[in-house]
Amino acid sequence: MLNGKVLVAQGGGPTAVINQSMVGAVLESRKFPHISKVYGAMHGVEGIMNEDFIDLTQETTNNLELVAKTPSSALLSTRIKPDAKYCAELFKVMKAHDIRYFFYIGGNDSSETLRLLNENAAIANYDFRAVHIPKTIDNDLVENDHTPGYGSAARFVASAFIGANLDNRAMNGVYIGVVMGRHSGFLTAASSIAQKYPGDGPHLIYMPERAFDIDQFVKDVDEVHTRLGRCVIAISEGIVDKDGQPILKALKGELQADEHGNVQLSDNSALGDMLADVIKQKLNIGRVRADTFGYLQRSFMGCVSDVDAREAREVGEKAAQYAMWNDADGSITIKRTGYYSVDFEFVPLERIAGKTRYMPDNFINSTGNGVTDNFKFYLRPLLGAGFQDAHYLRACYAPKLLK
Amino acid sequence: MLNGKVLVAQGGGPTAVINQSMVGAVLESRKFPHISKVYGAMHGVEGIMNEDFIDLTQETTNNLELVAKTPSSALLSTRIKPDAKYCAELFKVMKAHDIRYFFYIGGNDSSETLRLLNENAAIANYDFRAVHIPKTIDNDLVENDHTPGYGSAARFVASAFIGANLDNRAMNGVYIGVVMGRHSGFLTAASSIAQKYPGDGPHLIYMPERAFDIDQFVKDVDEVHTRLGRCVIAISEGIVDKDGQPILKALKGELQADEHGNVQLSDNSALGDMLADVIKQKLNIGRVRADTFGYLQRSFMGCVSDVDAREAREVGEKAAQYAMWNDADGSITIKRTGYYSVDFEFVPLERIAGKTRYMPDNFINSTGNGVTDNFKFYLRPLLGAGFQDAHYLRACYAPKLLK
């Protein structure tokens, strides 16, 4: 064990349970007598650069527990991805503050930052432990069965599509829901939990792991709408065509309306709106609606999976334990050990950094527009307890008297 | 009391608790021995026209209770607004099926339909009771303190803005959330519940009750962003300028990008995206995001106010009681009798039909870009129990050593 300070920081997009991990690492670190202080860096690496540290040894346990239940990074976040030079500066600050343990809660960019910090520590012959605590709603970290943040975001997406299916069933027409996930379809696939009764949507699910073809999409929607008189579609914001090009680019060619437009290619709702326009124009369906779920997915208050919350807490706590008791750097990973049980494993940072995990083939159906039961079996426990599903009337029809 | 059948139907946009009202009316009606059957019309007035009735006397009480907890119209819905001729046809079907009580769950259009049906019944000298059961997430029915459906939708909007404020606080920049409500700002105003700690958003709230001015909007955002380094905005989809013109129309002139475009004026996310573009262009702020909450607001599974659910059940039950025991037509209304208690009043259909309720002046601040404490006092009980709020770290800053 190293005498000195602990520093905790959060990076990248927030999740509903990211503060559980922070509080897990803080409370566990506060137990060790050789730790003089536990600091939190405000706004991630930016806070380190500016020495914006708050002293978490002077925060009450009760308030930490309340913060743990609050979504979105309590230490605030940053989108900066530090290069080698930036990391050298970060290291100088950490050394000046006698920081010996650094716990960084983030995606795979964060693990690369930690790797670079370790290089600086080795050159300076400074005893230092850097530990990566995983978080991402996209569920795209390798070496993990799943990542903290995914279960709660998946619960949001599943709840949204249960509602969207019911709404579409009542009103008819076509509904498109655009879901986050730049490279992996895990979050979009969570929409499949809404499929309960025969005929329930989402009837079509498009994930970035399969090339998206606009003509095939129109055919798919036509088939479902002809059969059921309605269609619910879940689509990932990250869908690309067979050449890896974003679909929005191709759509701009398809839609006359946009030939002279200057529509932004990301960070807005254009993809959903344009796909809705394609359906309206090509299939002549009057009621076509698109919702882009946006930031609601990662920060909505009160949509938390208890399984996700407890695992997020545990990876924070385990990070402190591995660092203190084993004097080791690395990343905490979640391994599934049963249905449903997990354990944690400490893996070298190099095995996580810069890699992306995709949905395995056996989670995606053969036509590339839906998921398999394997995926639903995988997902269900991650949604947590108290997850409600829909119930339909089952009363028989009354005889007609006039027709 | 009249011997014969009861018919229940649902119209207009679904809510999270609309099935509570249906089940309330059905279960109460099933208790009366002079009622031979309780029918449900599928897809509202369309189902009546086609004699698509399901026999709800043949549905289990247990399943009805589960359906009551399921959002979105279980009897399915319709957007048809019947005229006098359509209502004459509806009446013929009802008469053929010996329907003596008709409970229609809907907004103020529904009460107009009921009024027309009553006229037909009077001409035919047919004993008939038509009762309107209120529902609308917009909260825009006159004669009501609030309407079933509003509390749960408000809970969704409040939860979304608690998250949006936390997300924006962590990431900075400008966030715009576009909320449903064509004519009344009640639902948009629910975002104000996210204002807990000093500096919390939404910092600006725009409701249709006040004319929206794009230049003033840009000034408002600039002031907040300069002061706090971030800005969260709640905006109603129904905002109009001082001449009553939709803002999207004015924005098309403002934004060069759209001069040749053919962007749809409603039912998509263009308003939020365009306002975001205005902020980017005029204030040169890099990170500007807009989410249009869309259909999630009215059908999301698992975001229900218990107060809203219980009142929705009660208005259904009271509808049956008023009709049966008082042999009267009318609309059930909710009156606030204390903080917080309500009672129900039966009012003539004419007092509801075709009228829209707006937010009272003392709910809106003097600059027209926020709400008053009066509004928060009005709203809070409607959100129900177990509503969570955010908690921040309050630890002190550590001393800087390098700077």
Side-chain angles (χ1 to χ4, degrees):
Chain A
M1 289 185 189
L2 307 171
N3 292 314
K5 295 197 187 76
V6 160
L7 178 65
V8 183
Q10 297 173 316
T15 79
V17 297
I18 193 169
N19 294 330
Q20 290 283 0
S21 298
M22 183 268 287
V23 170
V26 169
L27 289 180
E28 190 65 9
S29 298
R30 298 208 307 190
K31 291 181 189 165
F32 289 87
H34 66 286
I35 298 301
S36 58
K37 298 265 190 190
V38 178
Y39 278 4
M42 301 307 281
H43 281 299
V45 291
E46 290 178 73
I48 302 174
M49 201 61 117
N50 301 324
E51 294 180 272
D52 284 335
F53 298 131
I54 59 170
D55 184 356
L56 294 170
T57 20
Q58 300 186 52
E59 177 57 276
T60 65
T61 308
N62 201 70
N63 198 49
L64 284 170
E65 289 294 353
L66 288 169
V67 170
K69 292 188 177 71
T70 302
S72 188
S73 320
L75 291 171
L76 313 183
S77 193
T78 177
R79 280 285 178 203
I80 288 181
K81 293 173 187 175
D83 55 13
K85 199 178 150 218
Y86 197 100
C87 283
E89 292 299 314
L90 293 180
F91 176 71
K92 277 184 207 161
V93 178
M94 290 188 178
K95 192 159 174 281
H97 282 268
D98 191 28
I99 285 158
R100 297 292 174 165
Y101 296 95
F102 178 41
F103 301 116
Y104 198 20
I105 307 163
N108 62 28
D109 294 328
S110 325
S111 55
E112 178 61 12
T113 302
L114 292 174
R115 215 182 52 73
L116 289 168
L117 283 172
N118 271 343
E119 283 183 7
N120 282 280
I123 291 164
N125 205 21
Y126 178 80
D127 279 329
F128 180 71
R129 294 288 162 256
V131 177
H132 172 239
I133 300 173
K135 74 88 211 165
T136 163
I137 64 166
D138 288 1
N139 203 31
D140 61 354
L141 280 186
V142 294
E143 296 283 343
N144 286 276
D145 177 74
H146 58 278
T147 41
Y150 172 63
S152 297
R155 189 175 170 120
F156 183 93
V157 170
S159 301
F161 272 95
I162 290 175
N165 174 62
L166 294 167
D167 203 299
N168 178 261
R169 181 172 170 261
M171 306 301 289
N172 287 332
V174 174
Y175 178 85
I176 300 169
V178 180
V179 180
M180 276 186 171
R182 292 257 158 199
H183 306 293
S184 295
F186 285 105
L187 197 54
T188 305
S191 62
S192 63
I193 293 297
Q195 299 161 347
K196 177 180 171 179
Y197 292 91
D200 273 351
H203 309 97
L204 300 166
I205 304 172
Y206 298 97
M207 296 148 284
E209 282 84 354
R210 295 290 180 270
F212 185 85
D213 181 89
I214 295 170
D215 294 334
Q216 187 59 48
F217 167 69
V218 173
K219 272 185 210 157
D220 288 353
V221 175
D222 191 29
E223 187 279 318
V224 173
H225 190 265
T226 304
R227 181 161 47 87
L228 300 174
R230 69 188 192 95
C231 185
V232 176
I233 303 152
I235 203 154
S236 167
E237 62 173 4
I239 50 164
V240 291
D241 69 14
K242 62 178 170 26
D243 303 317
Q245 290 296 310
I247 293 304
L248 209 49
K249 210 173 154 188
L251 281 173
K252 286 183 58 158
E254 286 274 328
L255 291 170
Q256 266 212 323
D258 297 278
E259 273 183 357
H260 306 278
N262 184 23
V263 179
Q264 199 184 349
L265 278 171
S266 61
D267 296 327
N268 70 13
S269 308
L271 177 63
D273 285 346
M274 283 179 145
L275 287 172
D277 284 347
V278 167
I279 295 299
K280 270 184 210 168
Q281 288 178 19
K282 302 224 169 181
L283 297 180
N284 198 25
I285 297 172
R287 193 173 185 277
V288 184
R289 301 287 186 269
D291 282 334
T292 302
F293 293 177
Y295 295 97
L296 302 184
Q297 297 165 88
R298 67 185 193 192
S299 299
F300 192 80
M301 187 79 193
C303 188
V304 169
S305 155
D306 60 337
V307 171
D308 191 27
R310 130 190 130 209
E311 291 175 352
R313 171 66 73 102
E314 286 187 284
V315 294
E317 195 175 335
K318 289 306 288 180
Q321 292 177 351
Y322 275 115
M324 305 285 178
W325 295 111
N326 302 322
D327 255 337
D329 304 300
S331 179
I332 312 294
T333 61
I334 301 179
K335 308 288 183 185
R336 191 179 295 224
T337 55
Y339 199 76
Y340 174 74
S341 60
V342 294
D343 205 352
F344 305 96
E345 203 175 291
F346 202 55
V347 306
L349 293 167
E350 292 73 14
R351 273 164 59 187
I352 303 278
K355 296 190 183 108
T356 302
R357 179 170 170 240
Y358 301 102
M359 282 181 74
D361 286 343
N362 70 335
F363 282 4
I364 303 175
N365 73 6
S366 58
T367 42
N369 58 8
V371 303
T372 61
D373 286 349
N374 286 325
F375 172 75
K376 292 185 187 179
F377 184 78
Y378 162 83
L379 174 63
R380 190 57 193 81
L382 310 184
L383 300 176
F387 186 78
Q388 293 177 277
D389 58 353
H391 294 271
Y392 291 172
L393 292 169
R394 303 160 311 186
C396 56
Y397 270 81
K400 297 191 186 203
L401 299 178
L402 300 176
K403 284 180 184 172
Chain B
M1 290 186 188
L2 307 170
N3 292 313
K5 295 196 186 76
V6 160
L7 177 65
V8 184
Q10 298 172 317
T15 79
V17 297
I18 193 169
N19 294 328
Q20 290 283 2
S21 298
M22 183 267 288
V23 169
V26 169
L27 289 180
E28 190 65 9
S29 298
R30 298 208 307 191
K31 290 180 188 165
F32 289 86
H34 65 286
I35 298 301
S36 58
K37 298 264 191 191
V38 178
Y39 279 3
M42 302 305 282
H43 280 298
V45 290
E46 291 177 74
I48 301 173
M49 201 60 118
N50 301 324
E51 292 179 272
D52 284 334
F53 298 130
I54 60 171
D55 184 356
L56 294 170
T57 18
Q58 300 186 53
E59 177 58 275
T60 65
T61 308
N62 201 71
N63 197 50
L64 284 170
E65 289 295 351
L66 289 168
V67 170
K69 293 189 177 69
T70 302
S72 186
S73 321
L75 291 170
L76 313 182
S77 194
T78 177
R79 280 286 178 200
I80 288 181
K81 293 173 187 175
D83 55 12
K85 200 179 150 214
Y86 197 101
C87 284
E89 292 300 312
L90 293 179
F91 176 72
K92 277 185 205 161
V93 177
M94 291 189 178
K95 192 161 176 279
H97 281 268
D98 192 28
I99 285 158
R100 297 291 175 166
Y101 296 94
F102 178 41
F103 302 116
Y104 199 19
I105 307 162
N108 63 27
D109 294 328
S110 324
S111 54
E112 177 63 12
T113 302
L114 292 174
R115 217 182 49 75
L116 289 168
L117 284 171
N118 271 344
E119 285 183 5
N120 281 279
I123 291 163
N125 206 18
Y126 178 79
D127 279 329
F128 180 72
R129 296 287 162 257
V131 177
H132 172 238
I133 301 174
K135 74 89 210 165
T136 163
I137 64 165
D138 288 359
N139 203 31
D140 61 353
L141 280 186
V142 295
E143 296 283 342
N144 286 275
D145 176 75
H146 58 278
T147 41
Y150 173 63
S152 298
R155 189 175 170 120
F156 182 93
V157 170
S159 301
F161 272 94
I162 291 175
N165 174 62
L166 293 167
D167 203 300
N168 179 260
R169 182 172 170 261
M171 307 300 288
N172 287 334
V174 175
Y175 178 84
I176 301 168
V178 180
V179 180
M180 276 187 173
R182 293 257 156 198
H183 307 292
S184 296
F186 286 105
L187 197 53
T188 304
S191 62
S192 63
I193 294 295
Q195 299 161 346
K196 178 181 171 177
Y197 293 92
D200 274 352
H203 309 96
L204 299 167
I205 304 172
Y206 299 97
M207 297 149 282
E209 281 83 355
R210 295 290 179 268
F212 185 85
D213 180 89
I214 294 169
D215 294 333
Q216 187 58 47
F217 167 70
V218 172
K219 271 184 213 158
D220 288 352
V221 175
D222 191 28
E223 187 278 317
V224 174
H225 191 264
T226 303
R227 181 161 47 89
L228 300 173
R230 67 189 194 94
C231 186
V232 175
I233 303 152
I235 203 154
S236 167
E237 63 173 3
I239 50 164
V240 291
D241 68 14
K242 61 180 169 30
D243 304 318
Q245 289 297 311
I247 293 304
L248 209 49
K249 210 175 155 189
L251 281 171
K252 286 183 59 159
E254 286 276 326
L255 292 170
Q256 266 213 324
D258 297 280
E259 275 184 357
H260 306 280
N262 185 21
V263 179
Q264 198 184 345
L265 278 172
S266 63
D267 296 327
N268 69 14
S269 307
L271 177 63
D273 286 346
M274 283 179 151
L275 287 172
D277 286 347
V278 166
I279 295 299
K280 270 185 211 168
Q281 288 177 19
K282 303 224 167 182
L283 296 180
N284 197 26
I285 298 172
R287 191 171 186 276
V288 185
R289 303 285 186 268
D291 283 333
T292 302
F293 294 177
Y295 294 97
L296 301 184
Q297 296 164 92
R298 67 185 194 192
S299 299
F300 192 79
M301 187 78 192
C303 188
V304 170
S305 155
D306 60 338
V307 171
D308 190 28
R310 130 191 130 209
E311 291 175 351
R313 171 65 72 101
E314 286 187 283
V315 293
E317 196 175 334
K318 289 305 288 180
Q321 292 176 352
Y322 275 115
M324 304 287 179
W325 295 110
N326 302 322
D327 255 338
D329 304 300
S331 179
I332 312 295
T333 60
I334 301 180
K335 307 288 182 184
R336 190 180 295 220
T337 54
Y339 199 76
Y340 173 75
S341 61
V342 295
D343 204 353
F344 306 97
E345 202 177 290
F346 202 54
V347 306
L349 293 168
E350 291 74 10
R351 274 165 56 187
I352 304 279
K355 299 193 182 103
T356 301
R357 178 172 171 240
Y358 302 102
M359 282 180 75
D361 286 343
N362 70 333
F363 283 4
I364 303 175
N365 72 7
S366 59
T367 43
N369 58 7
V371 303
T372 61
D373 286 350
N374 286 326
F375 173 75
K376 291 185 187 179
F377 184 79
Y378 162 83
L379 174 64
R380 190 58 192 82
L382 310 184
L383 300 175
F387 186 77
Q388 294 176 276
D389 58 354
H391 295 270
Y392 292 171
L393 292 170
R394 303 160 311 186
C396 55
Y397 270 82
K400 296 191 186 202
L401 300 179
L402 300 176
K403 286 182 184 173

